[in-house]
Amino acid sequence: MRPMDPVRVRFAPSPTGYLHVGGGRTALFNWLYARHHKGTFILRIEDTDRTRSTDEAIEQIFASLRWLGLDWDEVYRQTDRFDRHREVAAELTRRGAAYEKDGALWFRIPRDGATTVHDLLAGDVTVQHTELKDLVILRSDATPTYNFACVVDDHDMGITHVIRGAEHLNNTPKQLLIYEALGWTPPAFAHVPLILGPDRTKLSKRHGAGSVLDYDQRGILPEALVNFLARLGWSHGDQEVFTRDELVALFDLPGVNTSAAVFDEEKLLWLNHEWLRRLDPHRLGDLLADRIVGRGVADRATVEAAGRDKLARAAVLLRERGKTLVEMADRARPYLPGPIPLPDDALDLFTSDVRAALRILAVRVGELDDPTAHGFETALRQVADERGLPLKTLAPAVRVAVTGSRVGPGLFDVLAVAGPEIVAARVEAAAQEDRS
């Protein structure tokens, strides 16, 4: 690489399955490096394995990157470049660097000497040529193999930096030899250390790590996953929470760790909670609305009837305890119309004295002029005083009647968000419940 070349990096996934979190981190590091240096981020679909590559997987890669907010400047498919690959393979044959055997074309590894990879993260890695074997560059059906196609494409696309996982480091000496045989200048290489599971083995599904879009289904915000992936192997002092703009401003290769990162699910949930707390309430309410419908908590018509303002207010309460959008959606039923059954383990709260007070409260709530938290508190205290009940006796029954749970956010805030109509209906229904 020439020092003054504008930065051009690529993310080059193979579309043989979903984009997992390790691939997501590789994409993010390349995107951040390009944006930090005001360079170009290229998405290249490496679909030369035609027996395993699928259009569905390609669409899933696109969807995953869009959800993460990683926009690309150029996009290519390797299968569109087969003619170019064959042209370069023919040139290697003319130069005596490739030969045909068993219908395939093989690249000839020099028998003497060694090749050194000057890696920006791992340092110098030297491999003796006696440790390498000749490699196929064109299969018998004339399709290119990975090590060959990526060299041709990286050269033709002007890639200045190849930032990829450490598992590719053993491929690099072979690729450098192909560059040398063609008289091409190779890019700079930076092999990012692996992501490990909590047991210090290579991250896999058994650690709970799935596809990028699985995290969307689990209620993780893209801002949180981007933040989490950036911190998996990169740091800037002791800072943990980063906006996208901060990451672009601060990310560079010297900040990438040279040791493996450990995938910590609890840290991801903590970051997600932090990002839930930072989101604009109306945007969070919109996300919550979609999740409520998707989880079957309520139908679209019910959610739309509640209105954006109410959902935003509900979201602010729900995010106090919810670490994911899924948790928030599953706890959103109290704020939407419809009955809520009383749990059997809370029926002891509804004595005859309490039910009598609830009947009065239902009427008062229905006539409430001040449907704020203060207004509900005032009404509840007045009814408790009139009926000679301690507030600590009446309030838990009201909470269970309205929410179906003994615990949750501040009771009067819950009542204010649910609104007089819902509160009155549920309190009245609880007052009529008698299983004695």
Side-chain angles (χ1 to χ4, degrees):
M1 172 197 158
R2 293 172 295 276
M4 297 306 292
D5 285 349
V7 164
R8 287 176 64 83
V9 297
R10 47 65 163 189
F11 174 55
S14 176
T16 56
Y18 60 76
L19 179 63
H20 55 80
V21 290
R25 184 189 68 166
T26 299
L28 176 63
F29 279 16
N30 277 278
W31 185 86
L32 288 173
Y33 192 75
R35 296 297 175 252
H36 177 78
H37 290 282
K38 297 179 172 54
T40 300
F41 175 65
I42 295 169
L43 173 59
R44 187 173 74 220
I45 304 298
E46 299 200 334
D47 55 347
T48 58
D49 186 346
R50 294 187 294 183
T51 60
R52 297 175 60 218
S53 298
T54 67
D55 289 340
E56 181 184 6
I58 293 173
E59 288 305 313
Q60 195 264 6
I61 290 168
F62 288 158
S64 299
L65 295 179
R66 289 190 187 104
W67 182 71
L68 288 171
L70 307 184
D71 56 323
W72 50 88
D73 304 302
E74 301 171 17
V75 62
Y76 303 94
R77 287 182 65 162
Q78 278 190 329
T79 48
D80 294 335
R81 294 177 42 79
F82 278 175
D83 288 346
R84 172 59 175 161
H85 300 139
R86 292 164 186 153
E87 174 188 316
V88 176
E91 175 62 24
L92 284 171
T93 304
R94 283 192 293 272
R95 294 181 179 217
Y99 61 93
E100 188 175 347
K101 176 185 173 184
D102 298 328
L105 197 65
W106 294 68
F107 178 76
R108 196 187 311 276
I109 299 291
R111 296 294 173 254
D112 300 321
T115 292
T116 298
V117 180
H118 303 291
D119 193 270
L120 296 176
L121 297 176
D124 286 356
V125 179
T126 300
V127 176
Q128 300 297 319
H129 293 162
T130 54
E131 299 176 33
L132 304 176
K133 296 180 179 179
D134 291 359
L135 65 144
V136 173
I137 57 174
L138 286 186
R139 302 180 183 92
S140 57
D141 63 358
T143 59
T145 58
Y146 163 75
N147 277 310
F148 174 59
C150 76
V151 167
V152 176
D153 293 342
D154 284 347
H155 170 266
D156 288 1
M157 295 172 191
I159 300 302
T160 60
H161 296 74
V162 172
I163 304 169
R164 58 189 179 185
E167 65 272 20
H168 289 286
L169 182 56
N170 64 347
N171 291 317
T172 310
K174 306 169 193 174
Q175 294 170 10
L176 286 173
L177 285 170
I178 296 174
Y179 278 105
E180 183 179 347
L182 290 164
W184 292 346
T185 301
F189 290 92
H191 290 89
V192 181
L194 295 175
I195 303 174
L196 303 180
D199 58 358
R200 309 292 298 185
T201 61
K202 186 176 179 180
L203 187 68
S204 66
K205 283 185 179 179
R206 66 188 176 85
H207 296 112
S211 76
V212 166
L213 292 181
D214 281 345
Y215 289 93
D216 178 25
Q217 294 301 310
R218 289 173 53 188
I220 301 296
L221 296 172
E223 293 93 336
L225 189 58
V226 164
N227 192 157
F228 177 72
L229 292 177
R231 288 287 291 110
L232 274 178
W234 173 84
S235 61
H236 179 74
D238 296 328
Q239 187 173 343
E240 292 288 353
V241 182
F242 295 86
T243 66
R244 190 176 301 265
D245 288 345
E246 286 175 324
L247 288 173
V248 169
L250 297 171
F251 183 89
D252 211 348
L253 290 177
V256 176
N257 301 332
T258 56
S259 57
V262 175
F263 190 94
D264 184 346
E265 182 87 7
E266 285 303 312
K267 184 174 180 180
L268 173 58
L269 292 173
W270 176 81
L271 277 171
N272 200 57
H273 190 227
E274 287 296 307
W275 275 103
L276 288 171
R277 291 170 57 193
R278 288 170 176 238
L279 278 197
D280 170 76
H282 280 90
R283 186 192 163 207
L284 183 57
D286 292 342
L287 293 173
L288 179 62
D290 290 338
R291 201 58 58 128
I292 287 170
V293 175
R295 299 282 295 175
V297 176
D299 59 27
R300 177 65 66 182
T302 300
V303 171
E304 289 179 353
R308 286 191 80 213
D309 286 347
K310 182 173 185 176
L311 285 167
R313 293 168 65 203
V316 169
L317 288 182
L318 290 165
R319 69 183 175 187
E320 290 181 17
R321 293 171 179 260
K323 292 183 178 179
T324 70
L325 285 170
V326 167
E327 287 183 6
M328 291 171 61
D330 289 347
R331 296 170 182 168
R333 193 71 190 87
Y335 306 101
L336 301 169
I340 286 197
L342 300 181
D344 290 338
D345 62 0
L347 294 179
D348 60 305
L349 298 174
F350 297 91
T351 64
S352 58
D353 288 344
V354 167
R355 285 188 284 112
L358 292 179
R359 281 191 285 271
I360 297 171
L361 181 62
V363 175
R364 298 281 177 86
V365 166
E367 300 170 346
L368 203 59
D369 293 327
D370 178 20
T372 63
H374 175 73
F376 277 101
E377 181 179 3
T378 299
L380 197 58
R381 289 186 181 279
Q382 286 177 347
V383 171
D385 288 345
E386 291 170 13
R387 300 300 301 178
L389 290 172
L391 187 64
K392 65 181 181 181
T393 298
L394 184 57
V398 173
R399 179 186 289 280
V400 171
V402 175
T403 70
S405 174
R406 290 176 180 263
V407 297
L411 173 61
F412 305 119
D413 291 326
V414 169
L415 301 182
V417 173
E421 185 175 346
I422 288 176
V423 173
R426 290 183 184 154
V427 168
E428 176 62 31
Q432 302 305 324
E433 186 104 12
D434 184 2
R435 300 190 197 175
S436 57

